[in-house]
Amino acid sequence: MTDEPIVTELLLALLDGATFANALRRCGKPGRIRLPDEPHSRRLLVDAHLSGDSSTLEFHAEGRQPWLERVDAVAFSAFCPAADGRCRWLGIDLDADDHGEGGLINPGHAARTIAECADHTGLSSGLLVARSRRGKGRHVFLILPEPAPMADAVIGVAALAAAAFKVAASDVTECGAEHAFRCANEAIARPGDPGAVELLPRSTTKPTFGWALALPGASAYAAHGGGVIVDPFDDRPIHHQSIPRCGHEPWSQFLEEARATLSNRNAGEAPHQTKQLANYTDRLLRPIDRIDARTRAFLDGHTPEGTRNMSAFAASANLLGCGIDPREAEHLILAGATACGLPQREALNAFKSAVGALAQKQRRI
């Protein structure tokens, strides 16, 4: 059996349960599309993603009627969770320094550390690692044995991240190795940081369409070495013989141990690893759940040209008003600006203006 049919089935598994996906428009920006319900038509679109064929897609955007647009090459990103609010996979987006100084120095090293933790817990059979569309970052997927509630998915991805960060720290102290999650600015990333280590799902509250992660195998990414599926441990291109999927028993045991860790913390037993998992889980269950739809649209890159500066200011004020840490809010705004094509300098100015406006408002109270 050749690899291509396996990759087709793999991408269909990642799109299982989805009604919408993101696709690159001819202008190079992502846009939300309606996926065909009919299996054969969906398979043809996935094949177009793999072959780089052109196609006519049905795009949907807030505030306007759906429209048909011809794209030169189909390239998808899948949403997590699916339309039913359940997660078929967990995702960790490891960005490189091409996303800014907050990006990771070596995303391949970070992916390998995550893979080591997955292997230790018996989950490595569900791992899929691919290069990002620009080729420098890594997208880590953990394909679950069955659709999981978002609460389980949040705990699972937080626990896997916590374990990987613990291993990365011990590699530094015990072996003198480079920290796997060190950024270009020399800081150590935090789990959930946009532009460095983004976890999917981000919270237990599903946004309208979910959080998107680019799927591997797109011929549209080939010019930059992107989309290539790699071995999680040695980072070399790999051909899967079957769809990666973790087993029921290892996944259930992993969740049970993660919940027990959180319970111990809540009961007052807080060793270092427990604090890590609890802190990372708390960050996923953070006040971002309360942000409004317009802010979500900006962060997802769905703000039209002409309103981007105003939207960046409003989104900044909304994030800060919901109690999100200013450092995290700034990262989110800059990531949203990249997604919708707003220059970073303009986004940063909008964020600083929002900080100043809120400070002035508080002084008047």
Side-chain angles (χ1 to χ4, degrees), residues 235-318:
D235 205 44
R236 292 183 296 182
I238 185 174
H239 297 284
H240 286 282
Q241 300 303 311
S242 60
I243 298 175
R245 197 179 300 277
C246 56
H248 285 268
E249 186 173 344
W251 169 246
S252 297
Q253 184 175 348
F254 180 70
L255 273 182
E256 182 179 347
E257 292 175 354
R259 289 196 191 95
T261 300
L262 289 173
S263 296
N264 289 340
R265 181 252 195 169
N266 293 335
E269 301 174 18
H272 179 64
Q273 186 176 6
T274 305
K275 286 182 178 178
Q276 280 192 315
L277 174 55
N279 289 340
Y280 300 163
T281 307
D282 287 347
R283 291 194 69 226
L284 290 178
L285 304 174
R286 59 193 186 270
I288 197 170
D289 295 345
R290 301 196 298 270
I291 66 175
D292 63 35
R294 290 171 297 180
T295 299
R296 290 193 188 281
F298 177 82
L299 298 181
D300 291 338
H302 300 313
T303 299
E305 189 173 355
T307 65
R308 293 178 300 192
N309 279 287
M310 185 183 302
S311 296
F313 175 87
S316 299
N318 184 229

Side-chain angles (χ1 to χ4, degrees), residues 124-135:
S124 59
S125 63
L127 273 184
L128 170 71
V129 177
R131 295 174 186 162
S132 62
R133 65 187 187 186
R134 288 189 249 183

Side-chain angles (χ1 to χ4, degrees), residues 27-99:
C27 63
K29 296 179 182 178
R32 189 168 59 252
I33 67 162
R34 180 74 158 79
L35 292 169
D37 295 321
E38 198 274 316
H40 179 66
S41 298
R42 185 172 294 206
R43 181 180 291 272
L44 289 177
L45 272 183
V46 167
D47 288 341
H49 170 97
L50 295 173
S51 62
D53 290 344
S54 61
S55 184
T56 300
L57 306 176
E58 181 182 308
F59 283 90
H60 291 243
E62 299 294 334
R64 62 178 294 186
Q65 292 294 317
W67 73 97
L68 297 178
E69 183 176 317
R70 189 80 177 173
V71 298
D72 295 329
V74 176
F76 288 142
S77 295
F79 284 121
C80 176
D84 61 3
R86 298 171 74 84
C87 300
R88 274 67 173 172
W89 48 270
L90 311 179
I92 303 180
D93 187 3
L94 303 169
D95 288 326
D97 55 9
D98 56 349
H99 280 252

Side-chain angles (χ1 to χ4, degrees), residues 134-188:
R134 288 189 249 183
K136 296 190 69 175
R138 297 293 181 271
H139 293 169
V140 179
F141 298 86
L142 181 68
I143 304 178
L144 304 180
E146 60 186 6
M150 287 183 65
D152 287 352
V154 163
I155 292 173
V157 75
L160 186 58
F165 271 74
K166 182 185 179 187
V167 168
S170 66
D171 284 347
V172 174
T173 57
E174 297 176 14
C175 306
E178 181 79 12
H179 197 291
F181 299 95
R182 184 174 295 281
C183 302
N185 61 10
E186 295 302 318
I188 302 300

